[in-house]
Amino acid sequence: MLCNKTVAVVVPAFNEEKQITTVLKGMPDFVDRVIVVDDCSTDATMNIVRTHIEEDKTEGTEITAGALQV
């Protein structure tokens, strides 16, 4: 929360298995929600995001993962 406002970040991702963990762990403390949008990656991007969601139970932070359907 920043200035009594909820802060959400949308992270578009396409084949970002090497970078996505760094991006998610680098979110500032004032970010309340992170929404990762997978753009039909052919690598393990979404599996890594899902693992991060399970492992990171930071109180007050919500990470949502979804795939873009074409």
Side-chain angles (χ1 to χ4, degrees):
M1 189 161 285
L2 183 66
C3 299
N4 294 322
K5 303 289 183 187
T6 300
V7 178
V9 175
V10 178
V11 179
F14 176 73
N15 292 340
E16 295 295 336
E17 67 183 4
K18 294 179 182 175
Q19 299 289 335
I20 196 69
T21 299
T22 302
V23 171
L24 295 175
K25 287 185 176 183
M27 287 294 155
D29 291 337
F30 61 81
V31 174
D32 302 298
R33 291 183 178 85
V34 178
I35 303 157
V36 178
V37 180
D38 180 36
D39 192 10
C40 301
S41 294
T42 57
D43 65 0
T45 298
M46 288 313 294
N47 290 335
I48 293 168
V49 171
R50 287 188 181 102
T51 299
H52 181 80
I53 291 169
E54 291 301 315
E55 292 175 354
D56 183 43
K57 299 295 183 183
T58 305
E59 187 174 333
T61 301
E62 177 182 335
I63 300 175
T64 305
L68 180 64
Q69 299 294 320
V70 179

